[in-house]
Amino acid sequence: MKRAWVLATIGLIGLLNGVLGALLAAEREAALRSMVDVAALATANNAKHMDEVLEIVNRSMYMVSEFMRASERIAGLEDVDIHRLLVHQHRITPILRSMFVVSAEGHLRYDSRSSSPARIDLSDRDYVHHHLSGNADILFIGRPVISRISGEWVVPVSRRIEDRFGRLIGIIAAAIDPEVFFATLHASALPNGMQAAILSPSGYVFGCLPKSDCLGQPAADWPLFLQQSPAPGAVAASRRVSVMPDVVGPGAYEISPRYGMIAAAAIRTPDAIADWLSRLPAYFALDVVLSGGGAVLSAILYRQVARRRRAMQDLAEANARLEQRVAERTAALRCSEQRLTTFLATARDAMLVMDGNGTVQFLNPAATALFGYPADDVIGRNVDMILPGLSNDPAALSGSGCFDTHGWSRQGSGHELVARHRSGVEFPVELTLGRSDSDGEAIHVGVLRDIRERKLQEERLWELANLDALTGLLNRRAFMERGSALLEAGWRLGSPVSVLMIDADHFKAINDGFGHQAGDDVLRALAGILGSAVRSGDLLGRLGGEEFAIILPGTDVSGAEHVAERLLADVRGVRVPVPGSRRELTVTVSIGISVSGRRCRLDDLLAAADRALYVAKSAGRDRQASAA
């Protein structure tokens, strides 16, 4: 027996070393897999963002293209109309440095930065050559170049402008700020040593990390193009993939399915496992300690085994009886669990089972579909993983059995919480919890319902009830409700509250002379001017027709008159284009002012301001007047 014990001890020590070696190998593989996951996530996010950026630019250029397509040829349009449209599209697309039109002969024709651009020959640019060669009207992504106007690096994208017969009449192009690509790369939290890049479908670098001097460099000789042969929509990730120069190790690349932009990330294997390598000496020392300790423990156990063998014989019969009882109880539990599992698995509502500390024990298929996680990824984890609202209550997550003391286990109670999908998207749910006890341990069964649609409906109803449909300002009901509260607060603080009543001058003449569309444009323009002029604590609303009102808390009559003069000046400078015409309307307003000197109702202040407004109208309009 002694010889067998010694052999067994040697075998166990060998097994221990084998297990430790396997653990080290598994940890190394886990480090590599982790880097692959980081690279795959970064490339997926970067590729998706590039498609979104190019889609925004494509839509802006499409608006210009369709506008110019309406004419038989470019010369048929007014230069000022085309320039104004380019300026507008450039302004609403801040990622652009410019938007311009190239004629069918390859010369710069229009530019958003200048109403009279220089006649620059751009026929040598790759995007101009692409469209002049008769290619289809799709977005073309050119190689990065230095602008001949500004001297800055830009990334040109373009598309053909055709007339109704399909003939080329020009090229609409946009110059994207390269900082967009570098900002996208910086937004991904990459580990030390990992390199990332964004490439064009034609093989030019648009941005890279950690270096920043790679813009415009050709990438045709990169392993990604020489070995992988990427195609649109392709995705690849591996622990040993070569996608970037001089980088062999965990990496990934993804090609955006819409525009073919390539996002790549990779890290050298030694950099990926640097932490693992630094821990090897500690593991070696641990192996020596465990092996020596195992030998000593084996000798001690050998002396105890002889005595225990006799005791084990006495316990054998008792164990047989105990096993019989355990088998009977196990069968009963298995039957009960099978019934419960069948019910939960077939339920249409998302259901989960938790213990008293909030650890998830079971999820049904509806719950896995709701959260996007496989059941094995959630079971055994705290419910905070999918219901992050619990993280605000440290006592509930302390693991001390306090889960039942914070309102979560009241039978049948419902709570609105914020749930988190596997993708990171958070959404509202309603959770109803029930509790039962098994052998002194609390078991909670939760039923979850997705209430996103209900929340959206509530938000839509609020907007319909409180906002003016034309201007987006508060409607009369909401303005009176909030304004009364502001007035009451000012009275309690002992500070003055001023009211400005604003009315557009000759608005009926605008509607009658230029149409209701022009009148609506005027009202929207006035709403924009008033909205940009008020402070964050002020209240602005449209009371009806062409009447607006502003409440200025903490403002006396002199302050209100100063605000009114600034509004009069701002409105005088506005120009509203007449739909279907090259004309522009000028607008003026009249303003009536009233100030609360004591406790009063909002209706009384509005009435006083309305009387002052009538005085301003009678005095010639385009002016202010204060209530006596």
Side-chain angles (χ1 to χ4, degrees):
M1 178 180 175
K2 184 175 182 180
R3 181 178 180 182
W5 190 271
V6 171
L7 292 176
T9 301
I10 295 174
L12 287 175
I13 292 175
L15 178 61
L16 175 63
N17 283 272
V19 170
L20 184 59
L23 289 175
L24 286 174
E27 185 176 347
R28 182 180 185 277
E29 288 300 307
L32 294 174
R33 285 195 301 270
S34 175
M35 289 300 176
V36 170
D37 294 340
V38 171
L41 179 61
T43 55
N45 290 338
N46 292 344
K48 178 181 178 182
H49 184 68
M50 286 301 97
D51 262 2
E52 293 173 352
V53 168
L54 292 175
E55 180 64 16
I56 293 172
V57 176
N58 191 26
R59 289 180 181 176
S60 296
M61 293 193 300
Y62 179 77
M63 293 293 295
V64 178
S65 175
E66 288 301 302
F67 178 75
M68 298 183 67
R69 195 191 302 274
S71 175
E72 290 293 330
R73 53 192 178 85
I74 295 180
L77 298 172
E78 291 290 338
D79 289 352
V80 66
D81 294 332
I82 299 175
H83 177 68
R84 185 182 296 120
L85 180 59
L86 288 173
V87 171
H88 174 72
Q89 294 301 117
H90 184 186
R91 184 182 299 115
I92 65 175
T93 316
I95 61 175
L96 299 181
R97 284 186 169 167
S98 68
M99 184 174 288
F100 53 94
V101 175
V102 180
S103 69
E105 292 77 26
H107 293 87
L108 179 64
R109 184 68 183 275
Y110 303 103
D111 192 338
S112 63
R113 296 169 296 186
S114 173
S115 59
S116 300
R119 306 291 286 184
I120 300 175
D121 184 5
L122 300 174
S123 59
D124 60 326
R125 297 299 198 194
D126 60 343
Y127 60 92
V128 176
H129 179 73
H130 173 82
H131 294 296
L132 294 182
S133 299
N135 291 284
D137 181 16
I138 58 176
L139 185 70
F140 177 78
I141 305 170
R143 64 176 295 181
V145 295
I146 296 178
S147 172
R148 290 175 178 166
I149 296 178
S150 64
E152 300 173 314
W153 276 98
V154 296
V155 176
V157 293
S158 59
R159 60 184 301 159
R160 291 167 59 90
I161 305 175
E162 300 175 346
D163 62 12
R164 59 194 179 112
F165 301 108
R167 296 173 302 194
L168 176 70
I169 60 175
I171 301 168
I172 174 65
I176 301 177
D177 188 344
E179 286 300 320
V180 172
F181 306 100
F182 286 96
T184 300
L185 291 173
H186 281 289
S188 301
L190 300 178
N192 291 334
M194 180 166 285
Q195 302 183 27
I198 296 176
L199 313 173
S200 70
S202 56
Y204 288 97
V205 181
F206 282 5
C208 62
L209 285 179
K211 298 187 297 184
S212 60
D213 58 350
C214 55
L215 179 63
Q217 293 182 0
D221 58 345
W222 283 25
L224 173 64
F225 289 92
L226 297 178
Q227 303 172 15
Q228 307 297 334
S229 299
V235 179
S238 173
R239 293 193 297 274
R240 188 174 179 84
V241 61
S242 181
V243 296
M244 302 178 71
D246 303 323
V247 181
V248 177
Y253 72 85
E254 181 163 338
I255 304 176
S256 65
R258 184 172 182 86
Y259 294 106
M261 293 293 293
I262 305 170
I267 185 172
R268 294 173 62 250
T269 299
D271 294 333
I273 62 173
D275 290 341
W276 179 83
L277 291 173
S278 67
R279 292 193 295 270
L280 280 182
Y283 281 118
F284 178 76
L286 177 63
D287 180 47
V288 172
V289 171
L290 291 179
S291 297
V296 174
L297 180 62
S298 177
I300 297 174
L301 289 177
Y302 178 76
R303 289 196 297 267
Q304 300 292 331
V305 167
R307 291 194 295 267
R308 291 188 179 184
R309 287 182 65 187
R310 292 191 296 269
M312 291 297 293
Q313 292 176 356
D314 297 334
L315 292 175
E317 293 181 1
N319 285 340
R321 294 191 297 270
L322 180 61
E323 288 177 0
Q324 179 64 28
R325 293 175 57 190
V326 169
E328 293 173 356
R329 184 162 185 177
T330 300
L333 288 174
R334 186 180 297 111
C335 182
S336 176
E337 290 177 356
Q338 185 176 8
R339 289 195 298 269
L340 176 60
T341 302
T342 301
F343 167 72
L344 295 176
T346 56
R348 298 182 63 184
D349 286 333
M351 304 181 71
L352 56 86
V353 179
M354 300 168 288
D355 63 14
N357 294 317
T359 302
V360 179
Q361 305 294 325
F362 174 81
L363 280 87
N364 70 343
T368 60
L370 178 64
F371 294 107
Y373 284 100
D376 291 341
D377 289 354
V378 181
I379 292 175
R381 304 284 294 276
N382 194 277
V383 71
D384 179 68
M385 176 181 181
I386 53 178
L387 297 174
L390 292 180
S391 63
N392 295 327
D393 191 347
L397 303 176
S398 63
S400 58
C402 298
F403 185 72
D404 300 338
T405 64
H406 293 79
W408 290 101
S409 59
R410 293 197 297 272
Q411 192 76 17
S413 60
H415 303 269
E416 288 188 6
L417 302 172
V418 175
R420 179 180 294 150
H421 191 266
R422 182 181 184 181
S423 62
V425 175
E426 295 187 346
F427 58 96
V429 295
E430 183 179 77
L431 171 64
T432 302
L433 276 178
R435 168 179 172 163
S436 64
D437 293 304
S438 175
D439 293 335
E441 295 184 0
I443 299 296
H444 305 271
V445 179
V447 179
L448 291 144
R449 291 183 177 85
D450 189 341
I451 58 173
R452 280 177 283 194
E453 188 62 33
R454 189 179 80 189
K455 290 294 185 181
L456 289 174
Q457 187 65 24
E458 291 174 356
E459 184 177 347
R460 294 191 193 99
L461 290 175
W462 184 91
E463 291 177 355
L464 291 174
N466 294 273
L467 300 183
D468 173 55
L470 177 62
T471 63
L473 303 179
L474 292 177
N475 58 24
R476 185 181 189 91
R477 185 197 64 78
F479 179 86
M480 295 298 292
E481 179 178 305
R482 297 189 183 183
S484 298
L486 281 178
L487 190 62
E488 184 70 18
W491 177 81
R492 288 197 302 270
L493 296 174
S495 61
V497 177
S498 298
V499 173
L500 273 62
M501 182 75 75
I502 303 140
D503 186 88
D505 296 331
H506 304 295
F507 184 75
K508 184 176 184 304
I510 294 175
N511 271 337
D512 293 343
F514 299 97
H516 290 283
Q517 179 61 50
D520 290 347
D521 291 344
V522 168
L523 293 178
R524 280 190 287 265
L526 288 177
I529 293 173
L530 298 177
S532 62
V534 298
R535 302 167 301 184
S536 60
D538 299 337
L539 192 66
L540 169 63
R542 181 187 177 198
L543 302 186
E546 65 273 24
E547 287 187 345
F548 301 85
I550 301 175
I551 297 178
L552 305 172
T555 304
D556 56 15
V557 64
S558 62
E561 289 175 351
H562 177 73
V563 173
E565 284 299 327
R566 181 157 49 89
L567 289 176
L568 290 172
D570 290 344
V571 172
R572 292 188 195 108
V574 73
R575 299 295 183 268
V576 181
V578 177
S581 171
R582 293 194 297 272
R583 297 188 58 184
E584 292 183 334
L585 295 175
T586 57
V587 185
T588 61
V589 296
S590 298
I591 302 176
I593 304 171
S594 63
V595 181
S596 65
R598 54 184 177 81
R599 188 169 188 175
C600 60
R601 297 186 309 158
L602 180 58
D603 286 335
D604 298 331
L605 282 179
L606 289 173
D610 192 56
R611 290 191 297 271
L613 175 64
Y614 178 78
V615 173
K617 291 279 189 181
S618 301
R621 295 181 173 84
D622 190 20
R623 64 195 63 216
Q624 60 161 310
S626 300

